[in-house]
PDB file of all heavy atoms in Angstrom:
ATOM      1  N   GLY A   1     -45.380  63.677  -5.804  1.00 95.00           N
ATOM      2  CA  GLY A   1     -45.313  65.059  -5.514  1.00 95.00           C
ATOM      3  C   GLY A   1     -44.985  65.955  -6.790  1.00 95.00           C
ATOM      4  O   GLY A   1     -45.138  65.546  -7.926  1.00 95.00           O
ATOM      5  N   ASN A   2     -44.710  67.230  -6.509  1.00 94.00           N
ATOM      6  CA  ASN A   2     -44.564  68.216  -7.511  1.00 94.00           C
ATOM      7  C   ASN A   2     -43.178  68.137  -8.085  1.00 94.00           C
ATOM      8  O   ASN A   2     -42.263  68.632  -7.487  1.00 94.00           O
ATOM      9  CB  ASN A   2     -44.911  69.601  -7.005  1.00 94.00           C
ATOM     10  CG  ASN A   2     -44.698  70.708  -8.047  1.00 94.00           C
ATOM     11  OD1 ASN A   2     -44.627  70.426  -9.261  1.00 94.00           O
ATOM     12  ND2 ASN A   2     -44.814  71.942  -7.687  1.00 94.00           N
ATOM     13  N   GLY A   3     -42.979  67.612  -9.303  1.00 96.00           N
ATOM     14  CA  GLY A   3     -41.631  67.567  -9.901  1.00 96.00           C
ATOM     15  C   GLY A   3     -41.719  66.912 -11.239  1.00 96.00           C
ATOM     16  O   GLY A   3     -42.790  66.241 -11.614  1.00 96.00           O
ATOM     17  N   PHE A   4     -40.542  67.038 -12.048  1.00 97.00           N
ATOM     18  CA  PHE A   4     -40.545  66.562 -13.328  1.00 97.00           C
ATOM     19  C   PHE A   4     -38.984  65.962 -13.467  1.00 97.00           C
ATOM     20  O   PHE A   4     -38.107  66.306 -12.909  1.00 97.00           O
ATOM     21  CB  PHE A   4     -40.609  67.570 -14.358  1.00 97.00           C
ATOM     22  CG  PHE A   4     -41.981  68.191 -14.515  1.00 97.00           C
ATOM     23  CD1 PHE A   4     -42.278  69.218 -13.580  1.00 97.00           C
ATOM     24  CD2 PHE A   4     -42.977  67.703 -15.395  1.00 97.00           C
ATOM     25  CE1 PHE A   4     -43.542  69.807 -13.633  1.00 97.00           C
ATOM     26  CE2 PHE A   4     -44.145  68.358 -15.358  1.00 97.00           C
ATOM     27  CZ  PHE A   4     -44.495  69.282 -14.567  1.00 97.00           C
ATOM     28  N   PHE A   5     -38.977  64.738 -14.242  1.00 97.00           N
ATOM     29  CA  PHE A   5     -37.631  64.282 -14.593  1.00 97.00           C
ATOM     30  C   PHE A   5     -37.003  65.232 -15.645  1.00 97.00           C
ATOM     31  O   PHE A   5     -37.726  65.663 -16.566  1.00 97.00           O
ATOM     32  CB  PHE A   5     -37.723  62.845 -15.162  1.00 97.00           C
ATOM     33  CG  PHE A   5     -38.213  61.855 -14.299  1.00 97.00           C
ATOM     34  CD1 PHE A   5     -39.515  61.263 -14.443  1.00 97.00           C
ATOM     35  CD2 PHE A   5     -37.408  61.481 -13.234  1.00 97.00           C
ATOM     36  CE1 PHE A   5     -39.975  60.224 -13.618  1.00 97.00           C
ATOM     37  CE2 PHE A   5     -37.859  60.414 -12.354  1.00 97.00           C
ATOM     38  CZ  PHE A   5     -39.169  59.800 -12.495  1.00 97.00           C
ATOM     39  N   HIS A   6     -35.726  65.608 -15.427  1.00 97.00           N
ATOM     40  CA  HIS A   6     -35.019  66.454 -16.401  1.00 97.00           C
ATOM     41  C   HIS A   6     -34.412  65.606 -17.469  1.00 97.00           C
ATOM     42  O   HIS A   6     -33.614  64.700 -17.206  1.00 97.00           O
ATOM     43  CB  HIS A   6     -33.976  67.177 -15.687  1.00 97.00           C
ATOM     44  CG  HIS A   6     -33.349  68.331 -16.504  1.00 97.00           C
ATOM     45  ND1 HIS A   6     -32.256  68.964 -16.041  1.00 97.00           N
ATOM     46  CD2 HIS A   6     -33.618  68.730 -17.778  1.00 97.00           C
ATOM     47  CE1 HIS A   6     -31.932  69.879 -17.030  1.00 97.00           C
ATOM     48  NE2 HIS A   6     -32.586  69.713 -18.003  1.00 97.00           N
ATOM     49  N   VAL A   7     -34.751  65.783 -18.824  1.00 97.00           N
ATOM     50  CA  VAL A   7     -34.233  64.965 -19.898  1.00 97.00           C
ATOM     51  C   VAL A   7     -33.639  65.941 -20.938  1.00 97.00           C
ATOM     52  O   VAL A   7     -33.937  67.140 -20.915  1.00 97.00           O
ATOM     53  CB  VAL A   7     -35.271  63.989 -20.490  1.00 97.00           C
ATOM     54  CG1 VAL A   7     -35.816  63.106 -19.351  1.00 97.00           C
ATOM     55  CG2 VAL A   7     -36.398  64.838 -21.112  1.00 97.00           C
ATOM     56  N   GLN A   8     -32.941  65.334 -21.872  1.00 96.00           N
ATOM     57  CA  GLN A   8     -32.422  66.245 -22.975  1.00 96.00           C
ATOM     58  C   GLN A   8     -32.805  65.459 -24.257  1.00 96.00           C
ATOM     59  O   GLN A   8     -32.441  64.340 -24.540  1.00 96.00           O
ATOM     60  CB  GLN A   8     -30.800  66.206 -22.802  1.00 96.00           C
ATOM     61  CG  GLN A   8     -30.320  67.238 -23.799  1.00 96.00           C
ATOM     62  CD  GLN A   8     -28.764  67.316 -23.680  1.00 96.00           C
ATOM     63  OE1 GLN A   8     -27.984  66.379 -23.985  1.00 96.00           O
ATOM     64  NE2 GLN A   8     -28.298  68.461 -23.049  1.00 96.00           N
ATOM     65  N   ALA A   9     -33.609  66.205 -25.011  1.00 95.00           N
ATOM     66  CA  ALA A   9     -34.122  65.687 -26.311  1.00 95.00           C
ATOM     67  C   ALA A   9     -33.657  66.638 -27.478  1.00 95.00           C
ATOM     68  O   ALA A   9     -33.962  67.835 -27.424  1.00 95.00           O
ATOM     69  CB  ALA A   9     -35.587  65.592 -26.257  1.00 95.00           C
ATOM     70  N   GLY A  10     -32.820  66.091 -28.455  1.00 90.00           N
ATOM     71  CA  GLY A  10     -32.357  66.878 -29.515  1.00 90.00           C
ATOM     72  C   GLY A  10     -31.438  67.976 -29.058  1.00 90.00           C
ATOM     73  O   GLY A  10     -31.439  69.172 -29.639  1.00 90.00           O
ATOM     74  N   GLY A  11     -30.762  67.804 -27.942  1.00 90.00           N
ATOM     75  CA  GLY A  11     -29.885  68.916 -27.354  1.00 90.00           C
ATOM     76  C   GLY A  11     -30.540  69.971 -26.596  1.00 90.00           C
ATOM     77  O   GLY A  11     -29.948  70.855 -26.086  1.00 90.00           O
ATOM     78  N   ALA A  12     -31.848  69.892 -26.290  1.00 94.00           N
ATOM     79  CA  ALA A  12     -32.672  70.756 -25.673  1.00 94.00           C
ATOM     80  C   ALA A  12     -33.194  70.200 -24.309  1.00 94.00           C
ATOM     81  O   ALA A  12     -33.469  69.077 -24.323  1.00 94.00           O
ATOM     82  CB  ALA A  12     -33.823  71.292 -26.467  1.00 94.00           C
ATOM     83  N   ASP A  13     -33.298  71.148 -23.322  1.00 95.00           N
ATOM     84  CA  ASP A  13     -33.809  70.589 -21.996  1.00 95.00           C
ATOM     85  C   ASP A  13     -35.322  70.499 -22.169  1.00 95.00           C
ATOM     86  O   ASP A  13     -35.999  71.379 -22.574  1.00 95.00           O
ATOM     87  CB  ASP A  13     -33.480  71.722 -20.977  1.00 95.00           C
ATOM     88  CG  ASP A  13     -31.980  71.816 -20.684  1.00 95.00           C
ATOM     89  OD1 ASP A  13     -31.347  70.704 -20.653  1.00 95.00           O
ATOM     90  OD2 ASP A  13     -31.635  72.910 -20.206  1.00 95.00           O
ATOM     91  N   ARG A  14     -35.719  69.369 -21.602  1.00 96.00           N
ATOM     92  CA  ARG A  14     -37.193  69.049 -21.716  1.00 96.00           C
ATOM     93  C   ARG A  14     -37.495  68.359 -20.336  1.00 96.00           C
ATOM     94  O   ARG A  14     -36.582  67.891 -19.507  1.00 96.00           O
ATOM     95  CB  ARG A  14     -37.498  68.139 -22.827  1.00 96.00           C
ATOM     96  CG  ARG A  14     -37.449  68.809 -24.153  1.00 96.00           C
ATOM     97  CD  ARG A  14     -38.446  69.906 -24.293  1.00 96.00           C
ATOM     98  NE  ARG A  14     -38.344  70.590 -25.627  1.00 96.00           N
ATOM     99  CZ  ARG A  14     -37.646  71.676 -25.860  1.00 96.00           C
ATOM    100  NH1 ARG A  14     -37.019  72.106 -24.912  1.00 96.00           N
ATOM    101  NH2 ARG A  14     -37.749  72.213 -27.026  1.00 96.00           N
ATOM    102  N   TYR A  15     -38.804  68.153 -19.971  1.00 97.00           N
ATOM    103  CA  TYR A  15     -39.185  67.686 -18.738  1.00 97.00           C
ATOM    104  C   TYR A  15     -40.332  66.680 -18.825  1.00 97.00           C
ATOM    105  O   TYR A  15     -41.229  66.854 -19.742  1.00 97.00           O
ATOM    106  CB  TYR A  15     -39.580  68.806 -17.794  1.00 97.00           C
ATOM    107  CG  TYR A  15     -38.389  69.888 -17.775  1.00 97.00           C
ATOM    108  CD1 TYR A  15     -38.451  70.938 -18.617  1.00 97.00           C
ATOM    109  CD2 TYR A  15     -37.414  69.727 -16.738  1.00 97.00           C
ATOM    110  CE1 TYR A  15     -37.375  71.871 -18.614  1.00 97.00           C
ATOM    111  CE2 TYR A  15     -36.269  70.655 -16.794  1.00 97.00           C
ATOM    112  CZ  TYR A  15     -36.457  71.692 -17.723  1.00 97.00           C
ATOM    113  OH  TYR A  15     -35.249  72.668 -17.812  1.00 97.00           O
ATOM    114  N   THR A  16     -40.410  65.686 -18.062  1.00 97.00           N
ATOM    115  CA  THR A  16     -41.478  64.754 -18.282  1.00 97.00           C
ATOM    116  C   THR A  16     -41.906  64.101 -16.763  1.00 97.00           C
ATOM    117  O   THR A  16     -41.055  64.039 -15.958  1.00 97.00           O
ATOM    118  CB  THR A  16     -41.111  63.710 -19.121  1.00 97.00           C
ATOM    119  OG1 THR A  16     -42.230  62.750 -19.376  1.00 97.00           O
ATOM    120  CG2 THR A  16     -39.923  62.855 -18.619  1.00 97.00           C
ATOM    121  N   ARG A  17     -43.108  63.534 -16.804  1.00 97.00           N
ATOM    122  CA  ARG A  17     -43.552  62.695 -15.678  1.00 97.00           C
ATOM    123  C   ARG A  17     -43.525  61.298 -16.175  1.00 97.00           C
ATOM    124  O   ARG A  17     -44.036  60.403 -15.248  1.00 97.00           O
ATOM    125  CB  ARG A  17     -45.043  63.195 -15.336  1.00 97.00           C
ATOM    126  CG  ARG A  17     -45.062  64.666 -14.752  1.00 97.00           C
ATOM    127  CD  ARG A  17     -44.776  64.784 -13.316  1.00 97.00           C
ATOM    128  NE  ARG A  17     -45.647  64.040 -12.412  1.00 97.00           N
ATOM    129  CZ  ARG A  17     -45.638  64.195 -11.028  1.00 97.00           C
ATOM    130  NH1 ARG A  17     -44.775  65.139 -10.468  1.00 97.00           N
ATOM    131  NH2 ARG A  17     -46.430  63.556 -10.341  1.00 97.00           N
ATOM    132  N   ASP A  18     -43.319  61.044 -17.349  1.00 97.00           N
ATOM    133  CA  ASP A  18     -43.368  59.610 -17.888  1.00 97.00           C
ATOM    134  C   ASP A  18     -42.101  59.022 -17.507  1.00 97.00           C
ATOM    135  O   ASP A  18     -41.008  59.265 -18.156  1.00 97.00           O
ATOM    136  CB  ASP A  18     -43.627  59.729 -19.434  1.00 97.00           C
ATOM    137  CG  ASP A  18     -43.700  58.405 -20.034  1.00 97.00           C
ATOM    138  OD1 ASP A  18     -43.572  57.333 -19.347  1.00 97.00           O
ATOM    139  OD2 ASP A  18     -44.015  58.320 -21.259  1.00 97.00           O
ATOM    140  N   GLY A  19     -42.047  57.998 -16.606  1.00 96.00           N
ATOM    141  CA  GLY A  19     -40.937  57.323 -16.125  1.00 96.00           C
ATOM    142  C   GLY A  19     -40.657  55.965 -16.738  1.00 96.00           C
ATOM    143  O   GLY A  19     -39.957  55.240 -16.137  1.00 96.00           O
ATOM    144  N   ARG A  20     -41.229  55.752 -17.941  1.00 97.00           N
ATOM    145  CA  ARG A  20     -40.844  54.500 -18.516  1.00 97.00           C
ATOM    146  C   ARG A  20     -39.362  54.555 -19.251  1.00 97.00           C
ATOM    147  O   ARG A  20     -39.256  54.704 -20.422  1.00 97.00           O
ATOM    148  CB  ARG A  20     -41.896  54.238 -19.716  1.00 97.00           C
ATOM    149  CG  ARG A  20     -43.361  53.981 -19.101  1.00 97.00           C
ATOM    150  CD  ARG A  20     -44.325  53.758 -20.169  1.00 97.00           C
ATOM    151  NE  ARG A  20     -44.457  54.979 -20.986  1.00 97.00           N
ATOM    152  CZ  ARG A  20     -45.022  55.120 -22.141  1.00 97.00           C
ATOM    153  NH1 ARG A  20     -45.620  54.139 -22.629  1.00 97.00           N
ATOM    154  NH2 ARG A  20     -45.112  56.283 -22.769  1.00 97.00           N
ATOM    155  N   PHE A  21     -38.501  54.383 -18.503  1.00 97.00           N
ATOM    156  CA  PHE A  21     -37.039  54.434 -18.899  1.00 97.00           C
ATOM    157  C   PHE A  21     -36.462  53.049 -19.264  1.00 97.00           C
ATOM    158  O   PHE A  21     -36.923  52.146 -18.905  1.00 97.00           O
ATOM    159  CB  PHE A  21     -36.178  55.148 -17.918  1.00 97.00           C
ATOM    160  CG  PHE A  21     -36.621  56.580 -17.563  1.00 97.00           C
ATOM    161  CD1 PHE A  21     -36.529  56.999 -16.217  1.00 97.00           C
ATOM    162  CD2 PHE A  21     -37.218  57.400 -18.399  1.00 97.00           C
ATOM    163  CE1 PHE A  21     -36.959  58.355 -15.831  1.00 97.00           C
ATOM    164  CE2 PHE A  21     -37.610  58.727 -18.044  1.00 97.00           C
ATOM    165  CZ  PHE A  21     -37.566  59.126 -16.732  1.00 97.00           C
ATOM    166  N   THR A  22     -35.384  53.275 -20.089  1.00 96.00           N
ATOM    167  CA  THR A  22     -34.594  52.155 -20.498  1.00 96.00           C
ATOM    168  C   THR A  22     -33.234  52.579 -20.814  1.00 96.00           C
ATOM    169  O   THR A  22     -32.933  53.668 -20.493  1.00 96.00           O
ATOM    170  CB  THR A  22     -35.242  51.420 -21.872  1.00 96.00           C
ATOM    171  OG1 THR A  22     -34.526  50.327 -22.167  1.00 96.00           O
ATOM    172  CG2 THR A  22     -35.201  52.401 -22.966  1.00 96.00           C
ATOM    173  N   THR A  23     -32.351  51.743 -21.312  1.00 96.00           N
ATOM    174  CA  THR A  23     -30.930  52.003 -21.604  1.00 96.00           C
ATOM    175  C   THR A  23     -30.680  51.905 -23.047  1.00 96.00           C
ATOM    176  O   THR A  23     -31.210  51.011 -23.804  1.00 96.00           O
ATOM    177  CB  THR A  23     -29.981  51.223 -20.787  1.00 96.00           C
ATOM    178  OG1 THR A  23     -30.266  49.761 -21.106  1.00 96.00           O
ATOM    179  CG2 THR A  23     -30.098  51.427 -19.261  1.00 96.00           C
ATOM    180  N   ASN A  24     -29.880  52.846 -23.643  1.00 96.00           N
ATOM    181  CA  ASN A  24     -29.473  52.721 -25.032  1.00 96.00           C
ATOM    182  C   ASN A  24     -28.322  51.958 -25.207  1.00 96.00           C
ATOM    183  O   ASN A  24     -27.746  51.370 -24.172  1.00 96.00           O
ATOM    184  CB  ASN A  24     -29.352  54.080 -25.539  1.00 96.00           C
ATOM    185  CG  ASN A  24     -28.085  54.915 -24.904  1.00 96.00           C
ATOM    186  OD1 ASN A  24     -27.297  54.239 -24.171  1.00 96.00           O
ATOM    187  ND2 ASN A  24     -28.126  56.177 -25.095  1.00 96.00           N
ATOM    188  N   PRO A  25     -27.752  51.557 -26.424  1.00 94.00           N
ATOM    189  CA  PRO A  25     -26.604  50.664 -26.587  1.00 94.00           C
ATOM    190  C   PRO A  25     -25.339  51.171 -25.750  1.00 94.00           C
ATOM    191  O   PRO A  25     -24.404  50.387 -25.525  1.00 94.00           O
ATOM    192  CB  PRO A  25     -26.420  50.858 -28.042  1.00 94.00           C
ATOM    193  CG  PRO A  25     -27.708  51.003 -28.718  1.00 94.00           C
ATOM    194  CD  PRO A  25     -28.418  51.958 -27.734  1.00 94.00           C
ATOM    195  N   GLU A  26     -25.296  52.503 -25.483  1.00 95.00           N
ATOM    196  CA  GLU A  26     -24.068  52.916 -24.646  1.00 95.00           C
ATOM    197  C   GLU A  26     -24.314  52.828 -23.216  1.00 95.00           C
ATOM    198  O   GLU A  26     -23.490  53.173 -22.356  1.00 95.00           O
ATOM    199  CB  GLU A  26     -23.818  54.438 -25.051  1.00 95.00           C
ATOM    200  CG  GLU A  26     -23.376  54.701 -26.327  1.00 95.00           C
ATOM    201  CD  GLU A  26     -24.436  54.542 -27.511  1.00 95.00           C
ATOM    202  OE1 GLU A  26     -25.585  54.903 -27.133  1.00 95.00           O
ATOM    203  OE2 GLU A  26     -24.125  54.050 -28.555  1.00 95.00           O
ATOM    204  N   GLY A  27     -25.504  52.280 -22.812  1.00 95.00           N
ATOM    205  CA  GLY A  27     -25.758  52.116 -21.392  1.00 95.00           C
ATOM    206  C   GLY A  27     -26.403  53.301 -20.717  1.00 95.00           C
ATOM    207  O   GLY A  27     -26.597  53.344 -19.494  1.00 95.00           O
ATOM    208  N   GLN A  28     -26.679  54.382 -21.445  1.00 96.00           N
ATOM    209  CA  GLN A  28     -27.311  55.465 -20.938  1.00 96.00           C
ATOM    210  C   GLN A  28     -28.715  55.440 -20.658  1.00 96.00           C
ATOM    211  O   GLN A  28     -29.500  54.846 -21.483  1.00 96.00           O
ATOM    212  CB  GLN A  28     -27.001  56.710 -21.847  1.00 96.00           C
ATOM    213  CG  GLN A  28     -25.514  57.012 -22.008  1.00 96.00           C
ATOM    214  CD  GLN A  28     -25.299  58.014 -23.147  1.00 96.00           C
ATOM    215  OE1 GLN A  28     -25.884  57.976 -24.241  1.00 96.00           O
ATOM    216  NE2 GLN A  28     -24.280  58.960 -22.901  1.00 96.00           N
ATOM    217  N   LEU A  29     -29.210  56.016 -19.564  1.00 97.00           N
ATOM    218  CA  LEU A  29     -30.666  55.917 -19.328  1.00 97.00           C
ATOM    219  C   LEU A  29     -31.365  56.751 -20.136  1.00 97.00           C
ATOM    220  O   LEU A  29     -31.027  58.075 -20.286  1.00 97.00           O
ATOM    221  CB  LEU A  29     -30.864  56.350 -17.830  1.00 97.00           C
ATOM    222  CG  LEU A  29     -32.293  55.931 -17.121  1.00 97.00           C
ATOM    223  CD1 LEU A  29     -32.397  54.424 -17.143  1.00 97.00           C
ATOM    224  CD2 LEU A  29     -32.279  56.530 -15.803  1.00 97.00           C
ATOM    225  N   VAL A  30     -32.411  56.399 -20.904  1.00 97.00           N
ATOM    226  CA  VAL A  30     -33.108  57.200 -21.809  1.00 97.00           C
ATOM    227  C   VAL A  30     -34.660  56.998 -21.701  1.00 97.00           C
ATOM    228  O   VAL A  30     -35.127  56.001 -21.178  1.00 97.00           O
ATOM    229  CB  VAL A  30     -32.705  56.796 -23.197  1.00 97.00           C
ATOM    230  CG1 VAL A  30     -31.279  57.256 -23.522  1.00 97.00           C
ATOM    231  CG2 VAL A  30     -32.874  55.348 -23.598  1.00 97.00           C
ATOM    232  N   THR A  31     -35.443  57.910 -22.251  1.00 97.00           N
ATOM    233  CA  THR A  31     -36.905  57.733 -22.348  1.00 97.00           C
ATOM    234  C   THR A  31     -37.218  56.695 -23.454  1.00 97.00           C
ATOM    235  O   THR A  31     -36.351  56.156 -24.193  1.00 97.00           O
ATOM    236  CB  THR A  31     -37.543  58.996 -22.645  1.00 97.00           C
ATOM    237  OG1 THR A  31     -37.258  59.609 -24.003  1.00 97.00           O
ATOM    238  CG2 THR A  31     -37.161  60.144 -21.668  1.00 97.00           C
ATOM    239  N   GLN A  32     -38.506  56.401 -23.599  1.00 94.00           N
ATOM    240  CA  GLN A  32     -38.981  55.548 -24.774  1.00 94.00           C
ATOM    241  C   GLN A  32     -38.669  56.089 -26.185  1.00 94.00           C
ATOM    242  O   GLN A  32     -38.375  55.294 -27.021  1.00 94.00           O
ATOM    243  CB  GLN A  32     -40.482  55.421 -24.631  1.00 94.00           C
ATOM    244  CG  GLN A  32     -40.895  54.594 -23.385  1.00 94.00           C
ATOM    245  CD  GLN A  32     -40.668  53.079 -23.372  1.00 94.00           C
ATOM    246  OE1 GLN A  32     -40.931  52.472 -24.348  1.00 94.00           O
ATOM    247  NE2 GLN A  32     -40.011  52.718 -22.380  1.00 94.00           N
ATOM    248  N   GLU A  33     -38.468  57.330 -26.211  1.00 94.00           N
ATOM    249  CA  GLU A  33     -38.163  58.038 -27.460  1.00 94.00           C
ATOM    250  C   GLU A  33     -36.707  58.269 -27.702  1.00 94.00           C
ATOM    251  O   GLU A  33     -36.379  58.993 -28.672  1.00 94.00           O
ATOM    252  CB  GLU A  33     -38.954  59.437 -27.727  1.00 94.00           C
ATOM    253  CG  GLU A  33     -40.498  59.128 -27.913  1.00 94.00           C
ATOM    254  CD  GLU A  33     -41.184  58.747 -26.583  1.00 94.00           C
ATOM    255  OE1 GLU A  33     -40.667  59.132 -25.485  1.00 94.00           O
ATOM    256  OE2 GLU A  33     -42.188  58.032 -26.649  1.00 94.00           O
ATOM    257  N   GLY A  34     -35.776  57.988 -26.654  1.00 95.00           N
ATOM    258  CA  GLY A  34     -34.477  58.059 -26.862  1.00 95.00           C
ATOM    259  C   GLY A  34     -33.879  59.366 -26.133  1.00 95.00           C
ATOM    260  O   GLY A  34     -32.646  59.608 -26.329  1.00 95.00           O
ATOM    261  N   ALA A  35     -34.694  60.177 -25.446  1.00 97.00           N
ATOM    262  CA  ALA A  35     -34.093  61.381 -24.923  1.00 97.00           C
ATOM    263  C   ALA A  35     -33.297  60.924 -23.581  1.00 97.00           C
ATOM    264  O   ALA A  35     -33.683  60.091 -22.910  1.00 97.00           O
ATOM    265  CB  ALA A  35     -35.296  62.287 -24.331  1.00 97.00           C
ATOM    266  N   LEU A  36     -32.168  61.686 -23.513  1.00 97.00           N
ATOM    267  CA  LEU A  36     -31.266  61.224 -22.347  1.00 97.00           C
ATOM    268  C   LEU A  36     -31.927  61.718 -20.998  1.00 97.00           C
ATOM    269  O   LEU A  36     -32.346  62.903 -20.817  1.00 97.00           O
ATOM    270  CB  LEU A  36     -29.850  61.947 -22.488  1.00 97.00           C
ATOM    271  CG  LEU A  36     -29.041  61.483 -23.677  1.00 97.00           C
ATOM    272  CD1 LEU A  36     -27.815  62.352 -23.718  1.00 97.00           C
ATOM    273  CD2 LEU A  36     -28.546  60.023 -23.397  1.00 97.00           C
ATOM    274  N   VAL A  37     -31.967  60.816 -20.032  1.00 97.00           N
ATOM    275  CA  VAL A  37     -32.341  61.125 -18.658  1.00 97.00           C
ATOM    276  C   VAL A  37     -31.119  61.630 -17.925  1.00 97.00           C
ATOM    277  O   VAL A  37     -30.040  61.026 -17.992  1.00 97.00           O
ATOM    278  CB  VAL A  37     -32.835  59.909 -17.919  1.00 97.00           C
ATOM    279  CG1 VAL A  37     -33.257  60.290 -16.497  1.00 97.00           C
ATOM    280  CG2 VAL A  37     -34.086  59.246 -18.680  1.00 97.00           C
ATOM    281  N   LEU A  38     -31.220  62.915 -17.369  1.00 97.00           N
ATOM    282  CA  LEU A  38     -30.028  63.616 -16.845  1.00 97.00           C
ATOM    283  C   LEU A  38     -29.878  63.467 -15.222  1.00 97.00           C
ATOM    284  O   LEU A  38     -30.980  63.137 -14.610  1.00 97.00           O
ATOM    285  CB  LEU A  38     -30.147  65.078 -17.097  1.00 97.00           C
ATOM    286  CG  LEU A  38     -30.230  65.466 -18.594  1.00 97.00           C
ATOM    287  CD1 LEU A  38     -30.275  67.021 -18.813  1.00 97.00           C
ATOM    288  CD2 LEU A  38     -29.066  64.782 -19.420  1.00 97.00           C
ATOM    289  N   ASP A  39     -28.755  63.534 -14.736  1.00 96.00           N
ATOM    290  CA  ASP A  39     -28.511  63.508 -13.389  1.00 96.00           C
ATOM    291  C   ASP A  39     -28.595  64.957 -12.888  1.00 96.00           C
ATOM    292  O   ASP A  39     -28.783  65.964 -13.516  1.00 96.00           O
ATOM    293  CB  ASP A  39     -27.346  62.797 -12.999  1.00 96.00           C
ATOM    294  CG  ASP A  39     -25.979  63.453 -13.504  1.00 96.00           C
ATOM    295  OD1 ASP A  39     -26.111  64.679 -13.899  1.00 96.00           O
ATOM    296  OD2 ASP A  39     -24.964  62.831 -13.576  1.00 96.00           O
ATOM    297  N   ASP A  40     -28.334  65.098 -11.508  1.00 93.00           N
ATOM    298  CA  ASP A  40     -28.500  66.478 -10.852  1.00 93.00           C
ATOM    299  C   ASP A  40     -27.414  67.365 -11.205  1.00 93.00           C
ATOM    300  O   ASP A  40     -27.261  68.530 -10.870  1.00 93.00           O
ATOM    301  CB  ASP A  40     -28.673  66.360  -9.398  1.00 93.00           C
ATOM    302  CG  ASP A  40     -27.582  65.457  -8.697  1.00 93.00           C
ATOM    303  OD1 ASP A  40     -26.621  65.125  -9.453  1.00 93.00           O
ATOM    304  OD2 ASP A  40     -27.541  65.328  -7.563  1.00 93.00           O
ATOM    305  N   GLY A  41     -26.363  66.783 -11.983  1.00 93.00           N
ATOM    306  CA  GLY A  41     -25.309  67.561 -12.450  1.00 93.00           C
ATOM    307  C   GLY A  41     -25.321  68.022 -13.905  1.00 93.00           C
ATOM    308  O   GLY A  41     -24.539  68.742 -14.428  1.00 93.00           O
ATOM    309  N   GLY A  42     -26.548  67.523 -14.507  1.00 93.00           N
ATOM    310  CA  GLY A  42     -26.798  68.027 -15.925  1.00 93.00           C
ATOM    311  C   GLY A  42     -26.133  66.897 -16.933  1.00 93.00           C
ATOM    312  O   GLY A  42     -26.172  67.231 -18.039  1.00 93.00           O
ATOM    313  N   GLY A  43     -25.622  65.853 -16.532  1.00 95.00           N
ATOM    314  CA  GLY A  43     -24.987  64.870 -17.443  1.00 95.00           C
ATOM    315  C   GLY A  43     -25.881  63.712 -17.512  1.00 95.00           C
ATOM    316  O   GLY A  43     -26.794  63.391 -16.665  1.00 95.00           O
ATOM    317  N   PRO A  44     -25.486  62.817 -18.557  1.00 96.00           N
ATOM    318  CA  PRO A  44     -26.325  61.546 -18.604  1.00 96.00           C
ATOM    319  C   PRO A  44     -26.014  60.531 -17.611  1.00 96.00           C
ATOM    320  O   PRO A  44     -25.001  60.449 -16.917  1.00 96.00           O
ATOM    321  CB  PRO A  44     -25.939  61.087 -20.014  1.00 96.00           C
ATOM    322  CG  PRO A  44     -24.604  61.570 -20.182  1.00 96.00           C
ATOM    323  CD  PRO A  44     -24.609  62.877 -19.461  1.00 96.00           C
ATOM    324  N   LEU A  45     -26.903  59.586 -17.242  1.00 96.00           N
ATOM    325  CA  LEU A  45     -26.753  58.477 -16.258  1.00 96.00           C
ATOM    326  C   LEU A  45     -26.371  57.271 -16.988  1.00 96.00           C
ATOM    327  O   LEU A  45     -27.147  56.768 -17.842  1.00 96.00           O
ATOM    328  CB  LEU A  45     -27.988  58.261 -15.441  1.00 96.00           C
ATOM    329  CG  LEU A  45     -28.251  59.294 -14.260  1.00 96.00           C
ATOM    330  CD1 LEU A  45     -29.668  59.308 -13.881  1.00 96.00           C
ATOM    331  CD2 LEU A  45     -27.294  59.092 -13.060  1.00 96.00           C
ATOM    332  N   THR A  46     -25.130  56.741 -16.868  1.00 95.00           N
ATOM    333  CA  THR A  46     -24.843  55.477 -17.502  1.00 95.00           C
ATOM    334  C   THR A  46     -24.797  54.274 -16.602  1.00 95.00           C
ATOM    335  O   THR A  46     -24.257  54.294 -15.543  1.00 95.00           O
ATOM    336  CB  THR A  46     -23.437  55.709 -18.070  1.00 95.00           C
ATOM    337  OG1 THR A  46     -23.370  56.849 -18.972  1.00 95.00           O
ATOM    338  CG2 THR A  46     -22.992  54.518 -18.969  1.00 95.00           C
TER     339      THR A  46
END
């Protein structure tokens, strides 16, 4: 459907359809390039 994942890259809001996510050493869900994947409250998912 029509939508984008909300992520944070370099402190800025960005959006993507690329769902190849993983976790960083802190357990946060991130993109392949390390951008934080955000929840509906605007915070990272751990």
Side-chain angles (χ1 to χ4, degrees):
N2 181 14
F4 296 84
F5 294 112
H6 188 185
V7 303
Q8 190 176 70
D13 290 329
R14 293 293 182 264
Y15 309 91
T16 186
R17 297 277 298 191
D18 186 350
R20 295 174 297 169
F21 300 144
T22 184
T23 54
N24 62 15
E26 290 74 35
Q28 297 168 321
L29 198 63
V30 295
T31 67
Q32 294 288 307
E33 290 73 30
L36 291 173
V37 180
L38 303 182
D39 62 16
D40 55 3
L45 284 160
T46 302

